[in-house]
Amino acid sequence: METGHGESGSTGAVRGLELLWGLGERPKQGRRPAFTVEQIVRTAVGIADAEGLAAVSMRRIAERLGCTTMSLYRYVPGKAQLLDLMTDCVMGEVPLAGAAPSGWRTGLERSARADWALYHRHPWILRLPAGRPALGPNGLAWYESVLRVLTMTGLPPAALVNVFDLVDAYVRGAARDSLDAAAVERHSGVTDEQWWAARAHIWDAVFVPARYPVVASLRAAGVLAHPRDRGFEFGLQRVLDSVEAFVRNQPHGRDETVKRDETRCAQCGDPMPRPTPTGRPRVYCSGACRQRAYRARRAAGSPGTRH
């Protein structure tokens, strides 16, 4: 998800947030509005799903809706706001992550699979930079739900967000690879199996098993080629294994009877230095963490999220 696609002015950003949250006024000039913002956004999503993000333009949307291009700007002022609205619209399809009876891992696993499915339904989302979320109601609700699952780990705040970023980056990267491979197959008209079959002579012509013994053994075992979704599942489990080991190795684990800010830095989660001679309790392990926490409190008035 991203906000401000190619946009630097604060006015456009404010207008975009108003549209996302339904705070803007209806167009007043001219006749009664012929369309709703939702109609425009869903039309744009349909174009992006079918033809890619590059095909989305106000002109194409106007052609679909049977109106003039300029009339659409009464509803959505520009491409940046349109992309935010499109992103938040499809984020509404993702079920909110929930705590599973078996714990945080199952909840995080379900959320990752739901994201994988979303990216395959709407591949254009992956063409938008992940560092500038749309900040719409659907996206924030999803983000909150995943973070709530992660709080079950008992991790300190910074580590919790880092774990979210780790899993999110894996899912996005794996989905992008899967979609790119599918696009190559679609555009070339040649499947992976056909591509490899056309090059099968390499094994007899130039391949020397003694020089590449590991490759030879894996080829003999028939594991060099496998469905892309199977690769995703394997990687997801290994990422979750690493997170589980990280959680397990935390000094206090999931014991919420221990007040974490008495023994670990409230900002980074690192162990706290020894108490000061005055006996005053310390909240941060260093001046740098204290400054980061201060800046975070100052910025707390404006919502922030990642995807």
Side-chain angles (χ1 to χ4, degrees):
M1 296 184 292
E2 184 191 17
T3 186
H5 302 93
E7 174 184 69
S8 58
S10 61
T11 301
V14 170
R15 179 56 181 147
L17 289 172
E18 289 177 345
L19 286 168
L20 282 165
W21 291 88
L23 303 178
E25 297 181 0
R26 287 178 172 272
K28 293 180 179 180
Q29 65 270 29
R31 296 176 299 175
R32 182 178 179 180
F35 307 104
T36 64
V37 171
E38 182 180 3
Q39 284 178 294
I40 295 170
V41 171
R42 292 198 176 279
T43 300
V45 168
I47 294 172
D49 288 346
E51 304 176 47
L53 203 58
V56 177
S57 67
M58 291 298 193
R59 181 183 62 80
R60 288 294 308 281
I61 297 170
E63 290 175 356
R64 290 278 185 96
L65 294 177
C67 64
T68 64
T69 301
M70 291 305 298
S71 67
L72 296 181
Y73 289 100
R74 298 173 58 204
Y75 304 88
V76 181
K79 184 72 172 288
Q81 294 83 7
L82 178 62
L83 292 176
D84 280 351
L85 289 164
M86 291 168 59
T87 301
D88 200 65
C89 174
V90 298
M91 284 302 299
E93 302 173 10
V94 183
L96 299 182
S102 53
W104 62 265
R105 175 166 177 152
T106 301
L108 194 57
E109 186 176 341
R110 290 174 179 171
S111 176
R113 289 201 183 101
D115 291 346
W116 168 269
L118 175 74
Y119 296 143
H120 281 77
R121 289 195 303 273
H122 307 289
W124 51 268
I125 299 178
L126 293 172
R127 305 307 169 190
L128 304 176
R132 299 181 180 183
L135 302 179
N138 292 326
L140 279 173
W142 165 82
Y143 188 55
E144 169 72 17
S145 71
V146 180
L147 292 179
R148 188 181 300 117
V149 168
L150 282 171
T151 60
M152 298 173 62
T153 63
L155 291 171
L160 186 148
V161 174
N162 286 337
V163 167
F164 171 89
D165 288 343
L166 170 67
V167 178
D168 183 57
Y170 168 72
V171 176
R172 290 177 66 89
R176 188 179 291 112
D177 288 347
S178 172
L179 289 163
D180 286 348
V184 169
E185 186 173 299
R186 184 169 59 253
H187 294 152
S188 67
V190 177
T191 67
D192 286 347
E193 291 76 12
Q194 291 169 332
W195 189 92
W196 279 107
R199 290 156 179 79
H201 67 283
I202 186 177
W203 305 114
D204 297 324
V206 299
F207 184 75
V208 180
R211 185 178 298 173
Y212 311 103
V214 177
V215 174
S217 64
L218 294 176
R219 176 174 177 255
V223 297
L224 289 183
H226 56 77
R228 286 184 288 270
D229 58 348
R230 196 175 84 192
F232 166 73
E233 286 295 333
F234 176 84
L236 176 61
Q237 295 308 318
R238 301 298 74 77
V239 170
L240 295 176
D241 285 347
S242 69
V243 173
E244 190 168 8
F246 178 67
V247 172
R248 189 167 54 247
N249 290 330
Q250 294 299 299
H252 300 302
R254 186 63 184 91
D255 185 3
E256 294 186 354
T257 63
V258 178
K259 292 185 178 180
R260 192 175 305 279
D261 61 357
E262 292 180 355
T263 56
R264 303 184 71 80
C265 176
Q267 177 65 24
C268 70
D270 287 345
M272 294 287 289
R274 298 179 64 178
T276 59
T278 61
R280 296 177 60 187
R282 297 186 62 170
V283 178
Y284 305 107
C285 66
S286 66
C289 277
R290 185 183 300 108
Q291 286 297 319
R292 283 194 289 269
Y294 171 72
R295 289 194 294 268
R297 288 196 298 272
R298 289 192 62 184
S302 58
T305 167
R306 302 181 184 186
H307 183 47

